Amino acid sequence: MDAVLHLAETLLASPWLYVLVIALTAFDGLLPVVPAETVVLTAAAYAMTGGPDALPLLLAAWTGALAGDVAAHHVGRGAGPLARWARRRRWVGTMLGWAEKELMARGGMLIVSARFVPGGRTATTVASGVIGYPRRRFVLFAALAAALWSLYYVGIGMLGGLAFRDQPLLGVALGIGMALAVGGTIEAVRAVRRRRREAVTRPRPAGRVSSPAPVRGA
């Protein structure tokens, strides 16, 4: 365990860490299978024990997140046959359909909130390109979303590192747990609000017309 901690501390003290954070967060914007959030949380937790500097880490996370979202947007703009193929896949097609519908209704608010949902984030950014969402407006909202995302994960990681200065791995675990709890709560609220909107907009079945009861003769 001491050897693992020493290796982690060596990497986290290297300036190449910021390059790694930029690369991972950018790639995570295209394919949400890279543990970018975990890496940012870990680095932020170690920042409280003399590891990387918090400000460069924050800037690296913001740069990578914005670059990944813009890249995904341009992938959507040039998707063409790939987008049509994706629509035929059940899970991907459902996500793209949901993202396009929400983008037409709420636009920037969705781009900001979807950044905190890995699968929904990629579907939203790609869908914004597929439907031709204005590029400048997208970059503006994507920059805001990346800034909030970076502050969120760096802040939570630093809180975990502050709580466990002598055991940074416990700080990382605490940060991941807090991020999962907050993210799960946000997604649950979004799901409840979506179901309520669907219930309001769902057409009601026509009421049955009741015929008057026959009048019995005296």
Side-chain angles (χ1 to χ4, degrees):
M1 180 59 69
D2 291 339
V4 173
L5 286 174
H6 179 70
L7 178 62
E9 289 172 356
T10 301
L11 175 62
L12 290 168
S14 170
W16 286 102
L17 171 70
Y18 307 117
V19 178
L20 177 64
V21 168
I22 293 174
L24 289 178
T25 51
F27 192 71
D28 184 58
L30 290 166
L31 291 176
V33 295
V34 179
E37 289 89 349
T38 303
V39 173
V40 173
L41 278 167
T42 302
Y46 273 87
M48 302 305 297
T49 61
D53 292 329
L55 183 57
L57 176 63
L58 183 66
L59 292 175
W62 177 80
T63 301
L66 178 58
D69 288 351
V70 172
H73 174 80
H74 283 281
V75 166
R77 282 183 173 270
L82 180 60
R84 291 192 291 271
W85 174 86
R87 290 177 187 276
R88 293 194 294 268
R89 308 276 81 78
R90 178 178 298 178
W91 181 80
V92 180
T94 300
M95 292 295 293
L96 279 174
W98 167 81
E100 288 185 28
K101 178 182 176 182
E102 293 293 313
L103 273 169
M104 295 302 293
R106 297 188 292 140
M109 185 183 298
L110 177 64
I111 293 171
V112 173
S113 61
R115 169 117 272 283
F116 295 85
V117 184
R121 172 174 69 230
T122 303
T124 300
T125 51
V126 172
S128 70
V130 170
I131 69 172
Y133 192 80
R135 185 180 286 106
R136 290 184 179 180
R137 191 182 305 172
F138 173 82
V139 172
L140 176 64
F141 286 118
L144 174 61
L148 294 175
W149 180 87
S150 303
L151 285 168
Y152 172 71
Y153 278 100
V154 171
I156 288 182
M158 292 179 69
L159 284 176
L162 182 64
F164 296 96
R165 282 180 176 270
D166 297 329
Q167 296 176 301
L169 288 181
L170 289 180
V172 173
L174 176 63
I176 292 174
M178 291 172 63
L180 289 175
V182 174
T185 301
I186 293 174
E187 186 58 22
V189 171
R190 283 162 52 92
V192 170
R193 293 181 62 184
R194 185 166 60 247
R195 283 197 295 267
R196 287 180 178 176
R197 287 197 304 268
E198 291 173 354
V200 171
T201 57
R202 186 182 300 121
R204 297 180 180 180
R208 182 179 299 175
V209 178
S210 58
S211 56
V215 179
R216 297 183 180 179

